[in-house]
Structures are given as C-alpha cells and as structure tokens.
Amino acid sequence: MDGHNSPHPQIAEVKMDISPSASGAAGNKICRGAACDFSDSSNASKDAKERFASMRKLIIAVILCVIFMTVEVVGGIKANSLAILTDAAHLLSDVAAFAISLFSLWAAGWEATPQQSYGFFRIEILGALVSIQLIWLLAGILVYEAIVRLIKDSGEVQGSLMFAVSAFGLFVNIIMAVLLGHDHGHGHGHGHGHGHSHDHSHDDSDDDHSHHEEQEQGHVHHHEHSHGSSITVTTHHHHHSGAGQHHGAEEPLLKHEAGCESTQSGAKAAKKPRRNINVHSAYLHVLGDSIQSIGVMIGGAVIWYKPEWKIIDLICTLIFSVIVLFTTIRMLRNILEVLMESTPREIDATRLERGLCEMEGVVAVHELHIWAITVGKVLLACHVTITQEADADEILDKVICYIKTEYNISHVTIQIERQ
Amino acid sequence: MAMDTPKAKEAAWNANYGVVGSGDRRLAFSRQLSLVSSNANAATPRLARSDSSISMPPQLGLGAPPPKPKKLLYLGSRPMRRLALLLALNVAYSATELAIGLFTGRVGLVSDAFHLTFGCGLLTFSLFAMSASRTKPDNLYTYGYKRLEVLAAFTNALFLLFLCFSLAVEALHAFMQDESEHKHYLIVSAVTNLLVNLLGVWFFRSYARVNIVYRNAEDMNYHSVCLHVLADSIRSAGLILASWFLSLGVENAEVLCLGIVSVAVFMLVLPLFKATGNILLQIAPGNVPPSAFLKCCRQITACEDVCEVRQGRFWELVPGHAVGSLSIRVKNGADDESVLEYVHGLYQDLGIQDLSIQADDL
C-alpha cells in the first residue's frame, strides 16, 4: 500500500496497513489506507494516468501554440504591422491559459500534508476559475479594441489584413480545439451515440455481449483504465472494431463496469467518463478564441468592403463576446458549486436522507453535509440518531454500505447517537 | 453586526481579541484559548464566533443578553451602504468618462473607463456577496452562503493581480515604444479617480493594512474592497506622478512610475490572495497551531477506551468557522456516548464546533 509516511501521525494520514483479510465485516468501514478514496493505490494510479494523459495533451498544445506565436511575431515584425503583433499577444494569452491548466494538473497530484488534510485536489478547481477569469478579461479587452478601432477613424485599419490575421488565428485555434477536445468525443461514445459511426457499432456489440462476462479474465487490466483515461478506451475501441460480433473477448469494456454494480441508479454518474476540468477549461479558452476570431473576421471583411460601416465591427465583436461568455457559464456554475461546498448535482440529498431514515433502528438523520472536494470526489458527514436498543455497529455498517452502493460515496463519516 | 451598535463605536474592548468594532485594529490581537475544557457546559464554549462585544460573560449573572429587535427591512449594514455609495460614484464616473471619451475621440479616456468598469463589476460582486451571504443554509447549500464573501475576496485579489500584470506590460510597452505624450491629458481624470478612490479608502480605513487577522468572512470581503480602492488610488497617483516627471523632463518617468506601482500593488495583494486561496483550498484552521491538534490526538488516545485516532481532517468554511471529521476506534463494549462527548469537548476548546466523529468498535 503506498504509505503516506508522514513522520508525525498528527491530524491526518495515520499510516495503517490493514490487509483486506483482517477487516472482514468491518472492511466496509475502514477505508483501505490512510487517505481512503482520495489516494489509495488503485485510485492513485488511475488518477495519475488520467493526469498524465491530460498533461501530455496540454504540453503538445503549448508547443504548437509557441511555434505559431513565433511565426506570427516574426511575420509581424517583418511586415511592421500592429495587428499581427496583437494577435501574437492573443496567442500568448492562450499559452498562459495552458500553463495555468498544466500547473493545476500537476499540483493536484501533490501529496496531502497535515495542513492540507484533503490533499491538493482543489487546486484544479481554482486553476479552472483563474482560467475562466482570464477568458472574461480577454473578452473585455477585445471589446475595448473594437471600440478603439471605431474611434480612430482613419485608414489605419486595413480590413484585408485584419481578415487574414484572424483567419490564421482561427485555423490555429481549431487545430488546438480538436487536439484538446478530441478524446472526450470518443469517451462519451459508449453511452450516448455521438455521431461517430464506429461508436455506434460498438454500442450494438456491447449490448449483445453484455452477458458474456466470463471472457473477461484475459482483459482484466482493461477495467482499471476504462473508467479513467479515455485515451486507452479509444485505442481499444479502434482495436476491436475489426473483430466481428462473435468475439465475446471484446466484451463490453465499459458495460462490464455497469454489470458489477448491482444497482443501476445514481452510481452511474461516476462511470460516465469525466473530462478533466482543466483540459476542459483550456478547451473552452481555445473555443472562445475561435469564436472571437470569427467575429473579428466578419468585422474585417465588413471594413474591407465598406469602410464606412465600422459600427458593424463593434456590434459583431460585442455579440461574439457575449456568446463566448455564455459558453463559460456552465463551467463557472460547476466551479462555484464546488467552491461553495454545496451538495453535488448528481446526488439527491433528500432521497438519501429518506433512505437512511427508512432503515430500521434509525430514528433521525441530522447535520447531513455532502460536498465535493473536486468534481467527482464526494464526501459525506452526518449524525444518525438510533433507538436505544439498536446495535450501533451493525447500523453503522448498514449505513455505510447503503451509501456506498447507492450513491458511490466512499468517504463518509457517520456519528451514531442514541436517542 | 458589531460595527453598527452605538456601543461598539468607541473602541470596545474584548478580553480575547483586544479591540473589536471600528476601533484601531492595530491594537487587536487574538488570544490563544487554553485547552482546559470548559468547566460548566458545552453549550457555552469559548469560541471565536460566539465572542462578540455584545454578549456578556455568564459570571456576571445577568443571564442571556437581551435579544436584538428583528428588523423587517434590511437596509444593509454600514459597510454595505458605504460600498453601495462607492459603487454608485464609480459607475457614474466611468459612464461620464466613457461618454466623453467616445465623443471627443480620446483613446486614453476610453481605456481608463474600461478599467473602471471592470472594477465596478468586481465591487458589484462584493456587494452582492455581502447581501447574499446572510441567507440561511438550505438543502443545497448545507453550509450556508458565507463562502461567497471569501469568493468575492478571492476574485478581487485575482483581478488586482491581473491589474498589476497589465501595468507591468504597459511599463514594458512604454519602455520599448517611447511615446510619452499620451499621458498628459489624463491628468484631470486621474485626479478625479484618485479622489473617488481615496474616499473609498477612508470608508474602509480600518482595513487599510496588508496583513490582517481575519476573524469572520466579512473581514476578508472588506479587506479586499479596501485593497481594491487602495490599488486604484496608487495607480492614479502613479499616473499623476509620471506626467509631472515627464513635464519636468525626466526620461522614462512613465516606465519607472508604472513599474513601481505594479510592484507595490503586487506586494499589497499577495497576502490576501494567499489567505483566500488557502481557505478555498480547504486548509486546516489557521488560528489553531498544529501542536494543538497533536495534543488533542494524544489526549484522545490517552483515554482508556480508545485504541487509536485516524483520519482527522479539519478545514475552515470561512475564517472563524471550522469544520472537521474524525474517525476513532474504540474497544468493544466501551461506552460510545461518553467518549464522543469527551472528544467533542476537546475540539470545542480549540474552536471547532462542527465535528463528526465515527466510532468503530473492534
């Protein structure tokens, strides 16, 4: 077990190597390892793989961006054009956004310290918040530039140059959007037909073979990956696309996960391939840039054809800036919910409370707090009042089991009180 | 809130914190509470949150303090009203600046107006956070809405960092391009800006420090607003200085002044940014030293019924409200209730009210 060997067993991470066999009935309660679901061995390696895959994507994007930026800077200096240099500065902001995402990804893997007893997973969320604020700032700057263009009424602004530069910027941004957003298209394919044809065929084959569970032995190692890194899912899908319908071996890589849980309820939320929030925010950044490039292109074209209709440029920029802000709203809402320690959307707190109260021996549940440390890692704490005669241990076991199977929250702290 | 009661207007003195209310905060301190468990009842723990200049110590035998009359219409606490006034001034000022800039075609005025607009947006968010954080906790936000103030403070600090970065870029720009004449006609706008922001600093003068001990969520919000107006006034002062030096013939005055302003704002904002960031990152409560936690653990394990303590995790919702969860293993057949009470009492002395303890029998 990868021990968090903190030299002082203070407030967190008391190292405890409980072998699973020793736990027995109490195995439910005792989280295997010091920090439980946040970093036990299998989860840590899944997390690390996911993180490395995302980091690799971002690093490639950064390198591409820097190359394009140097091309633009050289071209701008040679042509002595301010517009090109401004666009190069815009690409620099892209690099900044990628750098923030990379840093957040890397920092989220730091080990927990006594001061940060939950680990550093929140850094992902804060990094995404900073990224989004950057997007807003850039939108404001672009609107300002459009207004300046309107004021400076002279032939300084060449529509053709503006058009060409923003077209190049759009091309660059589309490449990066494809690079960053590519995977999650495939990742979602298994559950929702995503418009990729081979994914559709896989849906069918998966349904056919959802019962062929015995072939899984040879493919045990797939399951570790299926939930986490979406890159491996893609390659496996491609690999199996040739094999016919009779290869039970190709088996429902992802459906098997579905088969393992007995209940088909809210636990599914965890199985949906989650795109990493930092990669998603970098993707939003690039998407916003391409939307604005389109706006600037339209403005440039307008100025090119009819230089007196400059107000259209400003209107266009305003409209497209608003569109960009709308794309960020959903992510901003998610971030805010996590930072405000609210109950995650995928968990129905009232149903949980009702389910707990219905258990025998349980009188009431109060001070129920469910919150997420980052998207996907949920914690729960509550006080359960039980009747005088009930067996505290047994009820504790049942409650923890219920929460884990129904809602897939594995880090829970339940305080049992008697009436 | 404490600032409103007339009693607290003159320097109220609280034995644990020194000066509270709107007195001189340089005399404020935060006394470490001893770990001796409160003799009487867990109902009156000595906590940062419940200690206020209004509540009377129980030994005086006066009973519970008289309940404050409930106001039906919440007009806003004094800081809120001041912030609303400041916001109105800023909005009016930036609107006029934008209008004048657009009509006369001066780019400098327009850029200044944009900058002010961003600042107004931030102040609006702070104001909104002040009013929304009073909402009671509900089903979705089980811990209430106080975190909004910390978020507003964080956003303010973040934008101030952006500002200082943009000032540095501007200094670099001026250094490379050497066009120094465009600062001159901004004097009038810079002076007005300076005056408005100095008014804001005066409103929040008790928070005009770099390092503050945060005792509750509002502290962070007010501090961030104060730093915001302070940074703006430093920037305006820097611009005025720069154009004065330029008229004196000093070369590269702009670069120098902008650079100094940028560095000053950065140093000003960094502690606030770190503090708010830490709270958002679920750091352990800052007012409790790690040795106190260790001591608590030792005291718990010293208890004969307890085998060991594991997974103690503590975090601060807002400064002054700490939450924790703990898991202990108890010997079979031991009395869970008394152990739980004991452990709760221990942590309440540290100031951690919301605690969930899971006792596993083995």
Side-chain angles (χ1 to χ4, degrees):
Chain A
M1 173 77 213
D2 45 280
H4 291 269
N5 282 316
S6 51
H8 333 278
Q10 314 176 2
I11 40 176
E13 304 0 326
V14 173
K15 37 193 198 304
M16 239 194 44
D17 298 290
I18 286 200
S19 52
S21 57
S23 322
N28 270 339
K29 296 182 289 194
I30 299 182
C31 309
R32 239 148 299 175
C36 203
D37 164 65
F38 295 152
S39 36
D40 38 331
S41 57
S42 71
N43 268 331
S45 70
K46 249 194 305 194
D47 271 351
K49 281 194 178 65
E50 197 179 322
R51 238 195 323 271
F52 279 137
S54 312
M55 277 174 86
R56 195 168 44 211
K57 265 192 285 192
L58 279 175
I59 290 181
I60 296 180
V62 167
I63 294 179
L64 268 181
C65 226
V66 166
I67 293 179
F68 281 128
M69 194 173 72
T70 37
V71 162
E72 271 201 350
V73 164
V74 163
I77 292 184
K78 276 232 173 90
N80 207 3
S81 153
L82 193 58
I84 301 186
L85 284 176
T86 316
D87 207 52
H90 216 85
L91 272 183
L92 185 65
S93 79
D94 267 358
V95 173
F98 292 152
I100 292 178
S101 295
L102 262 176
F103 172 73
S104 319
L105 271 176
W106 172 65
W110 288 342
E111 294 223 336
T113 69
Q115 283 297 97
Q116 299 273 7
S117 39
Y118 291 100
F120 287 88
F121 296 101
R122 269 288 166 89
I123 291 193
E124 278 182 358
I125 307 277
L126 278 188
L129 182 65
V130 171
S131 232
I132 300 238
Q133 303 285 34
L134 250 182
I135 296 182
W136 286 41
L137 188 69
L138 286 175
I141 289 182
L142 258 154
V143 170
Y144 161 68
E145 280 176 11
I147 293 188
V148 162
R149 272 201 299 267
L150 186 66
I151 293 182
K152 283 195 177 153
D153 50 357
S154 54
E156 279 181 30
V157 183
Q158 296 166 285
S160 51
L161 187 59
M162 222 169 93
F163 185 83
V165 167
S166 54
F168 178 66
L170 180 68
F171 165 70
V172 166
N173 279 320
I174 287 188
I175 291 186
M176 275 191 290
V178 163
L179 173 69
L180 285 176
H182 184 66
D183 273 6
H184 72 260
H186 280 275
H188 280 306
H190 85 285
H192 328 269
H194 214 241
H196 293 279
S197 51
H198 50 268
D199 279 328
H200 276 298
S201 68
H202 265 295
D203 278 344
D204 298 337
S205 60
D206 281 347
D207 283 323
D208 286 344
H209 292 277
S210 56
H211 303 297
H212 287 222
E213 316 243 330
E214 66 273 17
Q215 255 85 3
E216 75 207 46
Q217 276 80 351
H219 296 266
V220 153
H221 76 279
H222 288 184
H223 301 159
E224 236 180 70
H225 295 274
S226 67
H227 169 51
S229 107
S230 30
I231 282 186
T232 48
V233 167
T234 314
T235 52
H236 286 303
H237 266 230
H238 281 293
H239 171 65
H240 289 297
S241 64
Q245 303 276 357
H246 305 289
H247 252 307
E250 103 205 71
E251 108 255 344
L253 178 55
L254 299 156
K255 277 296 200 277
H256 173 80
E257 286 282 4
C260 229
E261 306 284 42
S262 43
T263 56
Q264 296 278 332
S265 57
K268 285 324 119 238
K271 297 306 179 221
K272 228 177 18 197
R274 263 182 303 116
R275 44 192 117 145
N276 185 295
I277 196 172
N278 285 114
V279 173
H280 187 52
S281 83
Y283 170 74
L284 272 185
H285 195 102
V286 165
L287 188 70
D289 269 355
S290 34
I291 291 180
Q292 279 174 342
S293 294
I294 296 181
V296 172
M297 263 169 69
I298 296 183
V302 160
I303 292 185
W304 197 2
Y305 285 141
K306 286 220 194 269
E308 59 268 11
W309 282 1
K310 280 174 45 169
I311 191 93
I312 295 206
D313 172 33
L314 175 61
I315 295 180
C316 251
T317 313
L318 273 174
I319 293 180
F320 280 93
S321 293
V322 168
I323 293 182
V324 166
L325 293 186
F326 269 127
T327 57
T328 60
I329 289 247
R330 177 197 278 202
M331 174 165 231
L332 198 61
R333 200 186 51 189
N334 285 344
I335 291 178
L336 244 52
E337 282 176 357
V338 170
L339 286 178
M340 295 273 295
E341 320 285 340
S342 75
T343 311
R345 270 166 193 271
E346 60 255 21
I347 301 204
D348 189 355
T350 31
R351 195 163 69 91
L352 192 145
E353 199 173 331
R354 234 191 343 226
L356 282 184
C357 286
E358 279 167 7
M359 286 189 179
E360 48 171 277
V362 171
V363 173
V365 169
H366 59 101
E367 285 217 30
L368 175 68
H369 292 295
I370 312 178
W371 53 281
I373 187 90
T374 176
V375 178
K377 299 198 189 339
V378 186
L379 301 95
L380 184 149
C382 71
H383 296 201
V384 173
T385 317
I386 62 179
T387 57
Q388 290 284 358
E389 319 72 52
D391 179 11
D393 253 347
E394 185 194 323
I395 295 205
L396 186 63
D397 269 343
K398 272 174 26 183
V399 164
I400 294 189
C401 203
Y402 169 70
I403 294 180
K404 180 160 176 58
T405 51
E406 278 285 314
Y407 299 93
N408 203 22
I409 307 176
S410 41
H411 193 91
V412 298
T413 309
I414 315 273
Q415 175 165 317
I416 305 272
E417 303 165 347
R418 285 188 200 268
Q419 222 169 11
Chain B
M1 72 162 257
M3 280 194 182
D4 272 340
T5 60
K7 199 167 68 167
K9 254 175 36 181
E10 51 269 3
W13 179 269
N14 181 297
N16 282 329
Y17 299 113
V19 171
V20 296
S22 49
D24 190 354
R25 288 181 61 101
R26 287 174 300 179
L27 301 178
F29 56 82
S30 179
R31 175 182 301 183
Q32 286 297 340
L33 302 170
S34 74
L35 287 179
V36 173
S37 52
S38 57
N39 36 9
N41 28 3
T44 58
R46 294 184 291 156
L47 286 186
R49 240 181 337 146
S50 63
D51 270 343
S52 76
S53 52
I54 303 177
S55 67
M56 310 283 233
Q59 297 96 323
L60 287 187
L62 291 180
K68 277 168 57 166
K70 278 205 166 71
K71 282 203 262 198
L72 289 172
L73 178 63
Y74 186 63
L75 291 171
S77 56
R78 189 188 295 165
M80 254 175 86
R81 287 196 290 263
R82 286 175 166 178
L83 183 58
L85 177 62
L86 196 60
L87 191 58
L89 272 176
N90 263 323
V91 167
Y93 177 56
S94 85
T96 39
E97 214 183 2
L98 187 64
I100 295 181
L102 277 179
F103 283 142
T104 57
R106 288 188 167 159
V107 179
L109 284 179
V110 173
S111 81
D112 209 35
F114 256 83
H115 175 83
L116 266 186
T117 311
F118 264 112
C120 286
L122 279 180
L123 290 181
T124 313
F125 184 42
S126 283
L127 188 63
F128 166 72
M130 274 187 213
S131 81
S133 71
R134 285 166 41 94
T135 320
K136 294 265 172 280
D138 56 24
N139 225 0
L140 195 56
Y141 291 89
T142 48
Y143 283 110
Y145 290 80
K146 288 213 163 246
R147 261 273 169 107
L148 262 181
E149 308 227 32
V150 179
L151 256 178
F154 180 75
T155 319
N156 259 321
L158 189 64
F159 266 98
L160 281 178
L161 284 180
F162 283 161
L163 167 73
C164 111
F165 182 68
S166 90
L167 280 175
V169 165
E170 220 177 296
L172 201 63
H173 192 80
F175 183 61
M176 292 197 315
Q177 288 221 325
D178 199 54
E179 43 175 295
S180 41
E181 67 287 305
H182 69 276
K183 284 289 183 253
H184 285 289
Y185 58 72
L186 286 180
I187 286 290
V188 172
S189 90
V191 168
T192 325
N193 206 359
L194 183 64
L195 287 176
V196 171
N197 284 316
L198 281 180
L199 180 68
V201 174
W202 173 252
F203 279 162
F204 289 92
R205 62 189 174 282
S206 57
Y207 288 94
R209 291 176 54 194
V210 181
N211 280 305
I212 284 193
V213 170
Y214 303 108
R215 283 201 281 277
N216 46 23
E218 293 102 49
D219 279 349
M220 278 191 161
N221 208 358
Y222 301 150
H223 189 210
S224 77
V225 169
C226 183
L227 282 187
H228 182 104
V229 286
L230 194 58
D232 258 348
S233 45
I234 291 182
R235 175 175 163 270
S236 306
L239 286 182
I240 296 177
L241 258 179
S243 45
W244 181 48
F245 282 161
L246 273 179
S247 65
L248 285 186
V250 178
E251 292 200 356
N252 284 337
E254 245 180 42
V255 181
L256 208 62
C257 284
L258 283 178
I260 292 181
V261 166
S262 158
V263 168
V265 170
F266 183 74
M267 316 268 348
L268 216 55
V269 165
L270 205 58
L272 174 69
F273 183 70
K274 279 208 277 213
T276 45
N278 273 335
I279 297 252
L280 291 177
L281 284 179
Q282 317 284 86
I283 202 172
N287 53 343
V288 181
S291 55
F293 282 120
L294 244 174
K295 192 167 172 185
C296 265
C297 273
R298 277 204 300 268
Q299 278 179 300
I300 299 178
T301 34
C303 187
E304 57 174 54
D305 285 332
V306 176
C307 292
E308 73 185 306
V309 176
R310 24 203 310 272
Q311 291 188 35
R313 293 195 164 126
F314 303 93
W315 52 285
E316 261 187 323
L317 177 69
V318 288
H321 182 173
V323 180
S325 74
L326 195 64
S327 178
I328 61 182
R329 274 168 73 201
V330 193
K331 299 206 175 86
N332 262 330
D335 178 16
D336 283 355
E337 302 266 316
S338 56
V339 170
L340 280 186
E341 231 177 83
Y342 175 61
V343 177
H344 268 292
L346 276 184
Y347 279 104
Q348 266 169 8
D349 282 338
L350 286 186
I352 299 174
Q353 270 284 50
D354 296 351
L355 192 59
S356 296
I357 306 180
Q358 180 168 311
D360 302 325
D361 279 1
L362 265 188

